[in-house]
Amino acid sequence: MDPFMQAAIEEARLGRAEGGIPIGSVIVHQGRIIGRGHNRRVQQGSAILHGEMDALENAGRQPARVYRESVIYTTLSPCPMCSGAIALYGIPKVVVGENQTFMGEEGWLRSRGVAVEVLQDPTCVHLMRDFIAAEPQLWNEDIGEP
């Protein structure tokens, strides 16, 4: 398995172990991880700390060129908020663990010139399916459903 997707999966598992939603992300620049994160909405009482947003926050302030040379890995297809941040910072490529349990804004990202690669990784699928079955109300809250 790709070591960067494996790192994103580790983040997802950490988020679930903390009582949160199992979505993880890493940002890779020139072959090294510069930001790691996981969905921490529950843990932090946050409206915006999805996995990708947490990874961006943890990458910290970077020159624009760094983001424009980076790849973001995420265990789940990115939602509109996270896709907007990816586009805002000019990240040129997203590697998605899976989009079977949730289809984010992949088409919109592609229309903005972002390369999107979807792995349909079984571990990512199982993490989300198990979570959604166990916590449907929390999942709906995370994606803005009533």
Side-chain angles (χ1 to χ4, degrees):
M1 169 179 283
D2 182 311
F4 301 125
M5 183 53 68
Q6 186 60 47
I9 290 169
E10 289 168 12
E11 287 291 325
R13 288 183 171 139
L14 180 58
R16 186 65 180 132
E18 294 171 351
I21 299 165
I23 303 168
S25 182
V26 296
I27 301 169
V28 177
H29 180 255
Q30 295 182 348
R32 76 176 180 88
I33 295 173
I34 62 169
R36 309 173 68 102
H38 53 274
N39 187 304
R40 296 190 313 142
R41 289 185 65 254
V42 173
Q43 301 91 313
Q44 298 294 320
S46 171
I48 63 167
L49 274 181
H50 283 188
E52 299 91 335
M53 302 299 277
D54 194 39
L56 282 163
E57 179 68 16
N58 290 327
R61 186 173 166 207
Q62 298 288 335
R65 73 164 180 75
V66 169
Y67 289 117
R68 286 175 168 39
E69 297 170 351
S70 294
V71 177
I72 189 165
Y73 289 73
T74 180
T75 58
L76 186 66
S77 185
C79 75
M81 174 179 65
C82 296
S83 295
I86 290 164
L88 175 68
Y89 288 104
I91 297 172
K93 183 174 181 180
V94 181
V95 179
V96 176
E98 68 102 351
N99 64 7
Q100 294 175 18
T101 60
F102 176 80
M103 173 60 79
E105 297 299 320
E106 295 172 22
W108 183 82
L109 284 166
R110 287 182 180 108
S111 78
R112 307 276 304 191
V114 177
V116 178
E117 179 182 350
V118 181
L119 304 178
Q120 300 304 9
D121 180 81
T123 301
C124 295
V125 173
H126 290 298
L127 280 169
M128 285 310 298
R129 283 194 179 146
D130 291 348
F131 170 75
I132 292 168
E135 303 272 359
Q137 292 165 323
L138 185 54
W139 171 240
N140 286 337
E141 175 190 320
D142 194 63
I143 59 172
E145 294 291 325

